Amino acid sequence: MKSYLTEIVTNAIKNIGGDAELPPVIIEKPRIPEHGDAATNIALQLARPLKKSPRKIAEEIVAGLDYDPSKISEVQIAGPGFINFRFADEGLHEILDAVVKAGPNYGKSTLNSGLKMQVEFVSANPTGPLTVGHGRNAVLGDTVARLLEWTGAEVDREYYFNNAGRQMRVLGESVKARYLQLLGEDAVFPEEGYEGEYIRDVAQTLVDRFSDKLKEALPDKEFKDAAESSIFKEIQQTLKRMDIEMDAFFNENELYKSGAIDEVLDKLDKKGLIYEKDGAVWYKTTEHGKDKDTVLKKSTGEPTYRLPDIAYHANKLDRGYDLCVDVFGADHIATYPDVLSAIETIGYDPKRVDVLVYQFVTIVKEGRPFKMSTRKANYVTLDELMDEVGADVTRFFFLMRSPNTHLEFDIAQAKEAGEKNPVFYLQYAHARIQSIFRKANEEYKFEEKVNYSTLEHPSETRLIKRISEFPAAIESAAISKEPHRLINYLNDLAGDFHRFYHDCHILGQELEIAHARVALLLIVAQVLANGLSILGIKAPDRM
């Protein structure tokens, strides 16, 4: 219905706007239901370019509307120039037919059709298992990718990592120290080494395989390689457990091998934006509004992470992506602008990069920060969290708040099988509908044709209107890259279902009415299942 309204309003505007460059038509749901089912403020937006009063423009638009009365029952002008629409019952019933026809594809759109996009997320170096801190990143990135796919984009999921540098050297040294200790040697553990049990597990594997033959081996060879292989295998298993599958893994080392790092420095140098000081290479970020310049390469010759990041983004854009989405934690909020300014300087459009920054997560139990185990050093792993509450609940809780807000992951709430658990609330609505359908099938023999005209109760109408909003809810979440908007919609849909269930009985009703109501509920179940699938969550038939 939203696309239909956009089309008829746009056509009406063409008749009064001539060749003027006009803003797009935005159709929204009025905050007050009494104002109608949909509204647009386009007349207010056109006042300046058309040099007319908004009210006059609204009158001209309404006079020029060519709409189907079976879809739109009433059009009104309100206030200074808002145009409100009320849907016809017949048009609402057509929506139900459209959902049945589309089935698991209902809600998909062509908003981003023809666009090639990449979402880069997780991107943890292979120095340890994925933690709760990585979890929000992983689920947010994967769900944004799903939303973009549902709006027609071709999406690649990419994991960027660095298996070189100081962190990896320390990793190799940590494994070798544990290896020697397992052999009974008096080995000194490196300062700031990785102390998790997973390091001992890798070392034990090397002892089992090679006995003492690696005593003289260098830490950055067999030991680092064994740790990297083991850790990456565990990372991929964790992601798979959350129904996340990467399309590509990009190694930062490729940027050095290809000369991309030197190419970035050369381009910035030609623009006069880098200089040497105290043996280091500096980027003139003061020319982009920062208080001080930024080091790109240390006096030791080792680059700071900004330099390969700049080269990596140039590489991504060279691959032809229309949009590259970066999913970063809040610790990047002050640094990613340097990368964007640099890629613009060397000739790329920074609008082709969208940075999604999320706040961090606190695990809470009984009102206090909660640590579930010490099995893997001083953090909670993502696998430990899923062991505690399950993969579905883990995904949902990471998504149910805006990325811009700090998230308190309440273990007690997550484990509760009741309405206080928000994911249970949605899954239970789907399961309850399937239960109703099974019982109704035992009592009635339904005909193939459904008579939706019997759906006249306000709770039925409210439910149908909510169903019609699903495609717009997906587009809104995809445009903003905020999956919690879809969750808010699904919560509203489930709430409308529960009101319907209270107000409109099925069993004991006349066949025609019972059939229409069961058909309506199966459509609600389809929408719930589609929405949960975007979130990466199962829609159970029984609970």
Side-chain angles (χ1 to χ4, degrees):
M1 191 66 80
K2 180 180 177 181
S3 59
Y4 175 74
L5 290 174
T6 301
E7 180 183 355
I8 63 173
V9 173
T10 300
N11 290 338
I13 291 172
K14 288 179 181 177
N15 296 327
I16 64 172
D19 296 328
E21 187 173 339
L22 305 175
V25 175
I26 304 297
I27 304 294
E28 296 179 315
K29 182 180 178 180
R31 293 182 180 179
I32 302 175
E34 288 73 18
H35 289 176
D37 299 313
T40 180
N41 68 346
I42 188 62
L44 283 73
Q45 302 298 316
L46 292 173
R48 177 172 292 181
L50 296 185
K51 298 179 181 179
K52 298 179 183 179
S53 73
R55 184 85 187 187
K56 177 64 175 175
I57 294 171
E59 291 172 353
E60 292 179 358
I61 291 173
V62 171
L65 285 176
D66 181 15
Y67 63 88
D68 185 344
S70 69
K71 296 181 183 292
I72 307 297
S73 64
E74 186 178 13
V75 182
Q76 291 183 330
I77 299 172
F82 293 98
I83 303 174
N84 296 334
F85 302 89
R86 200 169 296 278
F87 301 152
D89 290 342
E90 188 176 344
L92 291 175
H93 298 158
E94 288 179 3
I95 291 170
L96 300 180
D97 286 326
V99 181
V100 172
K101 184 177 180 180
N105 292 316
Y106 177 65
K108 290 185 176 181
S109 74
T110 58
L111 176 70
N112 290 312
S113 181
L115 298 180
K116 183 181 178 183
M117 300 184 182
Q118 184 221 59
V119 183
E120 183 236 316
F121 59 107
V122 186
S123 298
N125 291 338
T127 57
L130 295 182
T131 67
V132 168
H134 300 120
R136 193 175 196 187
N137 185 310
V139 175
L140 186 58
D142 180 62
T143 309
V144 166
R146 291 169 186 248
L147 284 165
L148 295 174
E149 288 170 334
W150 269 69
T151 53
E154 177 188 343
V155 182
D156 288 333
R157 295 162 173 80
E158 187 156 296
Y159 187 124
Y160 173 75
F161 70 97
N162 178 16
N163 64 348
R166 180 181 175 278
Q167 284 185 332
M168 297 302 291
R169 289 197 301 272
V170 173
L171 178 68
E173 291 168 359
S174 302
V175 174
K176 182 169 185 180
R178 293 295 185 229
Y179 169 82
L180 293 173
Q181 290 171 0
L182 288 170
L183 292 175
E185 301 281 341
D186 187 19
V188 177
F189 198 77
E191 186 177 352
E192 297 183 3
Y194 293 93
E195 299 182 8
E197 190 65 27
Y198 68 100
I199 297 294
R200 188 177 296 276
D201 294 340
V202 174
Q204 185 63 60
T205 299
L206 292 174
V207 170
D208 295 341
R209 184 177 178 186
F210 297 103
S211 186
D212 62 353
K213 294 178 182 179
L214 299 180
K215 289 174 65 174
E216 303 303 323
L218 296 175
D220 61 351
K221 296 294 183 181
E222 286 85 352
F223 295 100
K224 180 184 79 69
D225 292 347
E228 178 185 343
S229 176
S230 174
I231 291 167
F232 250 134
K233 183 178 180 181
E234 183 172 348
I235 285 173
Q236 289 173 300
Q237 288 173 342
T238 302
L239 293 176
K240 184 177 181 180
R241 190 176 174 187
M242 301 190 76
D243 197 20
I244 298 173
E245 186 172 345
M246 293 292 177
D247 296 299
F249 288 80
F250 189 98
N251 190 340
E252 181 182 307
N253 193 42
E254 293 299 317
L255 301 171
Y256 295 91
K257 288 182 179 180
S258 67
I261 299 290
D262 293 332
E263 187 177 343
V264 165
L265 287 173
D266 184 57
K267 288 181 178 180
L268 290 174
D269 188 33
K270 287 179 179 178
K271 297 284 186 178
L273 287 173
I274 60 172
Y275 62 92
E276 290 191 20
K277 177 184 176 183
D278 301 327
V281 177
W282 295 73
Y283 174 34
K284 294 181 181 179
T285 43
T286 48
E287 296 197 8
H288 298 289
K290 296 196 74 172
D291 295 334
K292 58 183 181 179
D293 291 336
T294 302
V295 175
L296 288 183
K297 186 182 287 188
K298 302 175 185 177
S299 58
T300 61
E302 184 179 2
T304 63
Y305 76 89
R306 284 181 182 82
L307 180 54
D309 270 8
I310 296 167
Y312 176 48
H313 280 79
N315 175 285
K316 292 199 283 189
L317 295 174
D318 283 341
R319 283 185 258 161
Y321 290 110
D322 298 291
L323 182 69
C324 295
V325 180
D326 297 336
V327 183
F328 289 149
D331 53 338
H332 285 73
I333 198 165
T335 55
Y336 75 80
D338 295 345
V339 175
L340 296 184
S341 67
I343 62 169
E344 182 174 19
T345 297
I346 63 178
Y348 296 93
D349 182 1
K351 292 180 181 178
R352 290 170 63 195
V353 178
D354 193 359
V355 179
L356 178 57
V357 176
Y358 65 92
Q359 298 297 317
F360 295 114
V361 180
T362 301
I363 301 295
V364 175
K365 189 170 186 180
E366 297 176 356
R368 294 174 296 187
F370 175 55
K371 184 173 178 56
M372 285 180 286
S373 84
T374 58
R375 185 174 66 89
K376 297 195 173 183
N378 59 345
Y379 47 76
V380 177
T381 71
L382 197 47
D383 279 307
E384 288 172 328
L385 182 60
M386 286 190 282
D387 289 343
E388 190 80 6
V389 302
D392 279 351
V393 174
T394 298
R395 281 194 70 117
F396 189 91
F397 271 60
F398 280 139
L399 296 171
M400 68 181 183
R401 300 280 182 264
S402 166
N404 297 321
T405 62
H406 176 80
L407 177 63
E408 284 196 349
F409 197 119
D410 191 321
I411 296 295
Q413 184 187 21
K415 295 178 73 172
E416 183 171 343
E419 290 191 1
K420 290 183 180 180
N421 183 324
V423 67
F424 180 90
Y425 181 70
L426 295 180
Q427 291 180 317
Y428 179 67
H430 184 272
R432 174 178 264 188
I433 290 172
Q434 300 303 325
S435 175
I436 293 169
F437 174 66
R438 289 191 294 270
K439 291 178 181 177
N441 247 1
E442 293 175 359
E443 182 168 329
Y444 298 97
K445 184 176 181 180
F446 294 124
E447 302 291 336
E448 184 176 341
K449 183 69 175 176
V450 183
N451 181 11
Y452 292 125
S453 66
T454 63
L455 300 174
E456 298 176 335
H457 192 281
S459 290
E460 295 168 333
T461 303
R462 183 189 299 111
L463 199 49
I464 298 170
K465 289 179 179 179
R466 189 76 67 187
I467 291 166
S468 74
E469 296 165 9
F470 183 57
I474 295 174
E475 288 193 355
S476 173
I479 291 169
S480 64
K481 298 175 184 64
E482 294 180 329
H484 74 283
R485 295 189 180 209
L486 178 57
I487 289 177
N488 292 342
Y489 166 83
L490 294 175
N491 283 332
D492 289 340
L493 177 65
D496 290 340
F497 155 67
H498 288 300
R499 279 189 287 273
F500 164 90
Y501 182 76
H502 178 269
D503 296 340
C504 303
H505 298 291
I506 294 175
L507 300 181
Q509 301 296 312
E510 293 181 5
L511 176 62
E512 192 174 47
I513 294 174
H515 190 192
R517 287 178 175 175
V518 166
L520 174 60
L521 289 190
L522 289 178
I523 289 170
V524 173
Q526 182 69 71
V527 176
L528 284 169
N530 290 5
L532 288 170
S533 74
I534 296 172
L535 302 175
I537 295 168
K538 299 179 185 66
D541 288 347
R542 288 179 169 86
M543 290 184 72

